[in-house]
């Protein structure tokens, strides 16, 4: 992004959602997924068609987001973390 748009944004006290080249730190969550997707999926697969790539990519994404333990969740899967969190919440009554 050139300097002029950055200055315009700064004068309006706002930021852009654009991630500059060479600045993956601006969106670490997305970059973490992309790195794993590239290393663990794309580098290992050979697709017969675009349709096959879409189906297998979606399966990888679901596994990554729903079934894989995450360090940030104490090495629990998202569903395990949700169940643990719900069980720790105090019971409330509708009165």
């Amino acid at each position: 992004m050139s300097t002029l748009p950055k200055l315009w944004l700064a004068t309006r006290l706002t930021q852009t959602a654009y991630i500059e080249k060479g600045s993956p730190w601006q969106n670490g969550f997305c970059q973490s997924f992309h790195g794993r997707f590239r290393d663990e999926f794309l580098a290992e697969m050979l697709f017969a068609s675009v349709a096959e790539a879409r189906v297998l990519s979606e399966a990888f994404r679901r596994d990554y987001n729903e079934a894989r333990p995450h360090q940030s969740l104490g090495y629990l899967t998202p569903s395990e973390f949700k169940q643990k969190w719900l069980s720790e919440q105090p019971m409330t009554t509708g009165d």
Side-chain angles (χ1 to χ4, degrees):
M1 179 179 275
S2 69
T3 306
L4 189 58
K6 287 181 185 178
L7 291 172
W8 184 85
L9 290 168
T11 61
R12 282 149 183 84
L13 302 175
T14 189
Q15 296 178 350
T16 178
Y18 174 77
I19 298 172
E20 296 184 62
K21 282 185 176 181
S23 299
W25 57 268
Q26 292 177 332
N27 188 349
F29 294 109
C30 186
Q31 290 300 322
S32 175
F33 173 77
H34 286 165
R36 289 192 187 272
F37 184 71
R38 193 172 37 253
D39 295 342
E40 298 175 17
F41 181 72
L42 293 176
E44 303 292 324
M45 302 296 285
L46 182 61
F47 307 108
S49 67
V50 172
E52 180 186 27
R54 286 182 178 144
V55 169
L56 294 175
S57 296
E58 178 61 14
F60 180 87
R61 186 195 64 79
R62 285 181 167 238
D63 178 66
Y64 182 86
N65 287 328
E66 298 169 12
R68 176 187 291 229
H70 289 257
Q71 180 182 4
S72 64
L73 303 177
Y75 294 98
L76 298 173
T77 67
S79 59
E80 290 170 337
F81 182 82
K82 178 183 176 183
Q83 290 303 315
K84 180 178 180 239
W85 184 84
L86 290 172
S87 70
E88 295 170 351
Q89 299 309 300
M91 298 297 281
T92 59
T93 61
D95 297 327

